[in-house]
Amino acid sequence: MAIDYEKLALEYHSREPRGKIYTGLSKPVVSQKDLSVAYSPGVAGPCREIHKNPELSFEYTGRSNLVGVITNGTAVLGLGDIGPEASKPVMEGKAVLFKKFADIDVFDIEVAAKDPDVFIAAVQALEPTFGGINLEDIKAPECFYIEEELRKRMKIPVFHDDQHGTSIIAGSAFLNALEITGRKIESTKVVFSGGGAAAIACANLFLSLGVQQKNIIMCDSKGVLYRGRTEGMNKYKEKFALETNIRTLSDALIGADAFVGVSAAGVLRPEMIMPMAKNPIIFALANPDPEITPEDAKKARPDCIMATGRSDFPNQVNNVLGFPFIFRGALDVQATTINEEMKMAAVRAIARLAKEDVPEQVLRAYNTAEGYHFGRDYLIPKPMDPRVLLYVAPAVAEAAMKSGVARKTVDIAQYTQHIERILGPTKRLIRKMRNNISAWSKKEGQKPRVVIVHGHEDRVIKAAAQMDYEGDVQTILLGNAEEIFSKADSLGIKNFKTKTTIIDPVGDQRCSEFAELLYKARQRKGVTRSAAQHLLRDGNYFASMLVEVGGAEAVIGGIVEPYVTGLKPIMEVIRAKEGRTMNGLYMFSYNKRMYFLADCTVCIDPTSEQLADIAENTARFAQQYTDETIRVALLSFSSFGSNRNEKCLKVANAASILSSRQVNFIFDGEIQADIALNEKLQERDFPFCKLQGQANVLIFPDLSSANIAYKIFSAITGSTGIGPILLGPRHPAAVMERGSNTEDLCNMIYMVANRYVQNQKSNESQTKK
C-alpha cells in the first residue's frame, strides 16, 4: 500500500507547536544579571560598538550564522505560482535542512511582491539582518534578474538555490559519470531539457567545467533553442541558441553523450534514447516524477548511467548536498558573495567524496548492508553522509579566501576540526584522539595495534575496514581467515585481504607458549596445564595473552557474548594495575558538557576503598578528555550524614579515603544526585560543599544504580555515549556490549589506541624526570 505523504504531512505540520521551526536562546537568562546583560541596560554596550563599526554586527550578534530564506512564492516545487503564504511550509523546510546539516540559523521570509524591482528593494533592505540570502522558488526569467541585481547591490552572499544548488550537484555527478564512461569533457555532447532557472544554471556550470558551448543543445517546451527563434525566448535562453536545423528533443539526442532533464515528467520516451552514444549519461531530474524512469531507461539502454532527483532511485541529485555546506563555508569566512570559484570548489569536493569508502553510519541511515561503491549506481554521496560537511564547507571557505571575497581568514585544517562540532561532540572527541594517535605514529614510525575478538562478526569486519581506510590504527582480527575474507567479500568490502591482519588461534604456533604462561600465572588459582591449553582456544584469552606478550597494544572483546565473558580473561591475564581497582565508565556529552559515569559494568558492590579507586580512576580519565574543571560527586541517597545507613557510610568513608590520598581534583560526598548537579542547591543548603559547581564525574554506590542511571540518561537525553570504557587494567582493554554497532566499535578502537599512546607519553615524561 502506497504511503500518502501529503496526508502525513498535514498531521505533522499541524501538531503543536505548529510548523517546523522556532526561535531558541543561545545564552542563559536565569537571573536579573542575565536579563540586564541580554537587554537593557547592558545591551547598549554592543549597540555603541556596532554604531562605530557596523562590521562588528558579525561579532556581537547572531548575524554571522543567520541566513534569510526568501521567496515570493511564484514557482513553488511543481505547484507553480501559489503565493507567499502557501510557500511558507517549503521555506520552513529549507530552514530545517540548514539547521540539521550545517547548524545555520534561518529566518524564512515570504514577500508579497511579484514585481521584481519591489522584491529586490525589500530583500536589499534586509541586508543588515543577515549573513547571507538564499533565494527560493522564484519563477524564471525574473529569478535571474533578481539574483543579478541583489548580488550587485549587497555585500553578503546571495544564492538562488533552484539555479545553483541543482547545477552544483548535477555537475559533481556529471564529472564522475564522465570518468566512469571514459569521456573527455571537451568533446562531450550534452542535451538539456528545460529552459528555466535550473536548466540554464546547469548549462552555465557545465561550460565552466569544460563542456564546449557548441556541444550543448537546449530544448524547452517549444523545442530546440536556435538562432532566430522568437517564441518563448529571453536573453538568458539566447545564450544557448545555436545555428542548427535541429528542432526537436528526439533529433537533438541522436549521437548525444548526455541528457540533463530539469523539465517535466515523461518527456523522454524510451525510443528517444536508443540513438544516443554508447554508455549514455541520463540525468532525469524532474520532481517528483522524472522525465524517464530508471526502469524504462535501463530497459531501453542497459548501458546507461542514470540519475534522478528521487531518493528511492540510485544517484539522487539532491540540493541538500550543496546549499547548507556552501553557506557554512561562506559564512565562516564572512564572504561577500558566492562566486564561481566557490561553486566549482563545491562541485569537485562532492565528486571527490563519492570515491571514498562509505562508513557504516551512512549504511545504517539508508538501511542497507551491501555498501556503496563508486560506480554507475553511486556517482555522488548520499545526503545523509555526515562527511559532506567536512569536504564541502572547507573547500568553499578556502576558495573564498583564495579568490579574495573573504573578509575573514581561517586555517583550513583547524577550521575543519572546528566545524566537526556540528556532527556532535563525540565526533570532535574522536577527531582529537585520531590526531593524537597520528602524531605519535609518525614520530614512532608505527601504529598502535588493537586485537579484536570475533573477527567473523559483520560489525568487526566493517570496523576493521574503516580503520584500514582511515589509517591511524592497525587492527588484528581473530578467527578463520578464509571465513573472514569470504564475509568481507559478501559485505562488498574491497582489498580487505591485502590490508587486514588475521590470526587464527586454533592453529597458531604461539598457543603452546601462551598456555604455559597462563598456567604459570594461574596455577595457584585452579588452572592446570590442560585447562590453560583449553582456555587458549577461546579468542578472549588468546587476545589478552597477545597483548600481555607485546603482540598488540590493546584488546577489545565482547560484541557477541555477555560482558562478563569478555571481561574475565582481561581480569585474569592482563590484570589490574598494582593496588588498583578495575571499573567501567560511560562518557556522555549533553548541553555542551561532558559527563563521566562510573562504575557501570564491573564492581557489583564496591567497598569504600574500591569506590575511592573508582573515583580516582575516573577523575584521571576525565582530566584527559575535557578542559572543564573536574568535580567528582560520590553519590548516595543521603547528603552529608542526613542518613546513617551503612550504605551511606560506605560512600562517606570513600570520600575520607580520597582526602587521605591528597588527590588533585575537587570531590565531595556522600551527596544526593540533585544536589551534586545543582549549584544553587549547594549554595543554599550546603554552603560547605566542596564541589562549588555542577559535578561532571558521577560515582555511583553500586553497579545496579550506575547501570540503571546511564541507560536512563542515554534514553531520555538522546545523548550518544562512549563506552563501556574499562579503567584500571595494566594494558588498554575494552569489552563491548552486544548491542554495540560498528560506529561504537570504531570509537572504542580509537579510545583504547589513544589510551596506549597517552600511557607511552606519560612513561616518556616520567623517564625524562
Side-chain angles (χ1 to χ4, degrees):
M1 182 178 176
I3 299 174
D4 188 342
Y5 284 108
E6 290 198 12
K7 183 178 179 181
L8 288 175
L10 289 172
E11 189 277 329
Y12 169 84
H13 283 78
S14 63
R15 289 202 305 261
E16 292 288 350
R18 304 194 189 284
K20 300 184 286 282
I21 58 175
Y22 73 99
T23 301
L25 303 182
S26 63
K27 302 288 191 301
V29 184
V30 296
S31 67
Q32 177 63 39
K33 179 183 176 183
D34 292 339
L35 192 60
S36 297
V37 171
Y39 200 56
S40 181
V43 73
C47 290
R48 297 182 202 278
E49 294 303 312
I50 294 170
H51 179 65
K52 296 175 191 174
N53 178 8
E55 289 296 304
L56 289 177
S57 62
F58 289 100
E59 183 73 23
Y60 291 122
T61 74
R63 184 185 180 192
S64 63
N65 195 50
L66 185 61
V67 166
V69 173
I70 307 180
T71 187
N72 61 5
T74 53
V76 182
L77 302 176
L79 304 175
D81 185 352
I82 60 174
E85 293 88 353
S87 73
K88 190 170 180 65
V90 177
M91 303 309 117
E92 285 192 354
K94 201 80 172 186
V96 168
L97 300 178
F98 267 111
K99 191 64 179 178
K100 168 67 178 175
F101 291 104
D103 197 28
I104 292 172
D105 298 321
V106 164
F107 289 158
D108 65 293
I109 298 177
E110 295 74 32
V111 181
K114 290 188 178 182
D115 183 311
D117 291 311
V118 174
F119 184 85
I120 289 167
V123 176
Q124 183 183 359
L126 293 170
E127 180 171 351
T129 301
F130 297 109
I133 300 292
N134 182 102
L135 299 174
E136 193 77 19
D137 290 351
I138 303 168
K139 72 183 180 75
E142 288 90 335
C143 63
F144 301 114
Y145 169 66
I146 287 170
E147 188 192 43
E148 286 173 0
E149 285 300 309
L150 287 172
R151 290 187 66 189
K152 290 177 189 174
R153 301 181 190 187
M154 301 177 79
K155 295 180 181 179
I156 59 174
V158 177
F159 185 84
H160 184 206
D161 186 52
D162 299 301
Q163 293 183 57
H164 309 300
T166 301
S167 68
I168 286 167
I169 314 308
S172 300
F174 182 67
L175 285 180
N176 284 341
L178 292 179
E179 180 177 331
I180 290 167
T181 58
R183 286 183 166 93
K184 293 183 177 180
I185 195 167
E186 60 271 15
S187 58
T188 298
K189 298 178 180 179
V190 186
V191 175
F192 285 90
S193 174
I200 289 173
C202 282
N204 279 319
L205 188 132
F206 280 30
L207 289 175
S208 298
L209 288 173
V211 175
Q212 301 297 300
Q213 185 141 4
K214 66 181 180 180
N215 290 331
I216 291 178
I217 298 178
M218 183 174 289
C219 306
D220 62 9
S221 59
K222 309 297 183 184
V224 171
L225 305 188
Y226 59 88
R227 291 282 173 85
R229 184 183 131 176
T230 57
E231 185 181 11
M233 295 296 285
N234 56 56
K235 69 175 184 178
Y236 305 103
K237 289 182 179 180
E238 199 66 49
K239 177 178 179 179
F240 295 98
L242 294 180
E243 288 285 358
T244 179
N245 294 321
I246 299 172
R247 295 293 182 266
T248 67
L249 177 60
S250 295
D251 290 341
L253 286 168
I254 297 172
D257 296 292
F259 166 86
V260 179
V262 274
S263 50
V267 301
L268 189 64
R269 299 186 302 278
E271 65 270 18
M272 296 168 67
I273 63 175
M274 295 299 291
M276 290 182 72
K278 183 180 179 182
N279 293 313
I281 299 166
I282 300 173
F283 289 179
L285 307 181
N287 247 332
D289 299 312
E291 286 81 358
I292 187 172
T293 66
E295 182 182 9
D296 288 342
K298 291 284 186 180
K299 187 174 181 180
R301 290 297 301 265
D303 61 336
C304 75
I305 289 183
M306 184 79 190
T308 71
R310 288 175 51 150
S311 61
D312 52 346
F313 297 135
N315 298 323
Q316 182 191 16
V317 175
N318 190 319
N319 290 18
V320 78
L321 276 172
F323 69 84
F325 316 110
I326 293 167
F327 269 98
R328 180 75 277 158
L331 291 173
D332 289 339
V333 294
Q334 293 178 15
T336 57
T337 187
I338 294 174
N339 58 22
E340 285 303 306
E341 291 89 344
M342 295 160 75
K343 294 179 204 170
M344 296 299 289
V347 169
R348 299 192 186 282
I350 294 167
R352 188 171 73 253
L353 177 56
K355 298 173 187 178
E356 304 290 353
D357 290 342
V358 180
E360 170 70 11
Q361 180 182 359
V362 178
L363 303 185
R364 285 205 318 276
Y366 289 91
N367 196 28
T368 178
E370 297 178 1
Y372 298 110
H373 305 285
F374 179 63
R376 290 173 173 268
D377 289 334
Y378 185 70
L379 296 174
I380 47 177
K382 294 292 183 180
M384 295 297 289
D385 191 331
R387 300 172 301 168
V388 180
L389 169 71
L390 305 180
Y391 273 66
V392 177
V396 170
E398 186 171 32
M401 291 188 291
K402 287 182 177 178
S403 60
V405 298
R407 286 179 281 201
K408 179 180 175 183
T409 300
V410 298
D411 177 275
I412 290 299
Q414 293 178 2
Y415 171 65
T416 303
Q417 292 183 35
H418 171 71
I419 60 172
E420 200 161 24
R421 66 180 169 76
I422 295 169
L423 302 179
T426 301
K427 291 283 186 186
R428 197 173 184 189
L429 180 63
I430 296 299
R431 169 62 62 183
K432 285 184 177 180
M433 292 185 201
R434 288 185 59 189
N435 289 345
N436 191 40
I437 295 166
S438 179
W440 180 85
S441 297
K442 288 177 182 176
K443 177 185 173 185
E444 300 296 326
Q446 64 183 52
K447 299 175 185 177
R449 298 164 297 174
V450 178
V451 57
I452 309 174
V453 188
H454 307 300
H456 63 280
E457 163 63 28
D458 289 9
R459 291 166 290 175
V460 174
I461 293 171
K462 291 175 183 177
Q466 187 72 18
M467 293 301 109
D468 290 341
Y469 166 67
E470 293 175 350
D472 299 313
V473 178
Q474 179 185 341
T475 54
I476 302 170
L477 305 191
L478 298 190
N480 180 275
E482 188 175 332
E483 180 183 343
I484 293 171
F485 290 143
S486 176
K487 180 67 73 69
D489 288 341
S490 71
L491 293 171
I493 298 172
K494 298 179 179 179
N495 303 319
F496 195 71
K497 187 178 292 188
T498 60
K499 294 181 178 180
T500 306
T501 301
I502 295 176
I503 298 174
D504 189 349
V506 174
D508 194 274
Q509 296 178 349
R510 289 168 290 187
C511 272
S512 297
E513 173 194 346
F514 288 178
E516 187 63 20
L517 290 171
L518 180 60
Y519 163 68
K520 289 179 179 179
R522 305 287 298 175
Q523 62 185 346
R524 290 187 174 273
K525 295 182 180 179
V527 177
T528 64
R529 275 196 172 89
S530 61
Q533 291 167 356
H534 177 76
L535 288 173
L536 260 298
R537 298 192 189 108
D538 179 344
N540 288 293
Y541 277 92
F542 185 94
S544 292
M545 286 300 306
L546 189 67
V547 172
E548 183 68 10
V549 301
E553 280 68 58
V555 57
I556 297 177
I559 301 287
V560 299
E561 58 197 359
Y563 187 86
V564 68
T565 305
L567 179 63
K568 191 168 182 277
I570 293 170
M571 297 186 78
E572 293 180 357
V573 176
I574 294 178
R575 305 184 304 283
K577 293 176 182 176
E578 188 67 32
R580 308 302 290 182
T581 299
M582 276 197 209
N583 69 277
L585 76 84
Y586 270 86
M587 56 192 298
F588 288 95
S589 176
Y590 181 64
N591 282 347
K592 300 183 179 179
R593 292 200 70 199
M594 296 299 299
Y595 295 90
F596 304 83
L597 283 62
D599 175 12
C600 300
T601 57
V602 180
C603 295
I604 296 174
D605 187 14
T607 64
S608 296
E609 190 78 27
Q610 287 174 321
L611 273 179
D613 284 350
I614 292 166
E616 194 168 353
N617 287 346
T618 308
R620 286 177 177 174
F621 177 88
Q623 287 170 335
Q624 297 173 340
Y625 291 96
T626 181
D627 296 328
E628 297 176 22
T629 300
I630 300 302
R631 291 182 168 87
V632 179
L634 294 132
L635 300 177
S636 178
F637 59 83
S638 164
S639 291
F640 307 114
S642 62
N643 190 311
R644 306 304 293 172
N645 182 280
E646 62 180 13
K647 293 183 181 293
C648 305
L649 292 174
K650 177 181 78 169
V651 180
N653 290 337
S656 297
I657 293 169
L658 279 178
S659 295
S660 68
R661 293 181 183 177
Q662 298 182 331
V663 294
N664 66 342
F665 53 84
I666 298 168
F667 69 91
D668 214 339
E670 88 282 16
I671 186 170
Q672 291 172 285
D674 58 337
I675 308 296
L677 295 170
N678 190 320
E679 184 177 0
K680 292 190 179 299
L681 285 179
Q682 294 169 22
E683 292 173 353
R684 188 191 72 187
D685 297 339
F686 304 98
F688 56 84
C689 179
K690 298 174 186 175
L691 294 180
Q692 296 185 348
Q694 188 183 67
N696 48 10
V697 176
L698 305 177
I699 306 301
F700 293 83
D702 53 45
L703 181 59
S704 180
S705 57
N707 193 274
I708 292 169
Y710 95 76
K711 289 178 178 177
I712 290 175
F713 185 90
S714 178
I716 290 178
T717 65
S719 303
T720 302
I722 300 181
I725 301 163
L726 192 59
L727 302 182
R730 291 163 49 251
H731 304 291
V735 181
M736 302 297 294
E737 294 185 323
R738 283 178 284 187
S740 302
N741 58 40
T742 301
E743 186 178 5
D744 295 330
L745 181 54
C746 289
N747 290 345
M748 190 55 68
I749 292 170
Y750 284 124
M751 176 62 71
V752 295
N754 188 57
R755 293 193 66 209
Y756 169 76
V757 169
Q758 288 178 319
N759 289 344
Q760 293 300 108
K761 289 181 176 180
S762 177
N763 292 340
E764 289 173 10
S765 177
Q766 290 176 6
T767 301
K768 288 178 181 178
K769 288 181 182 179

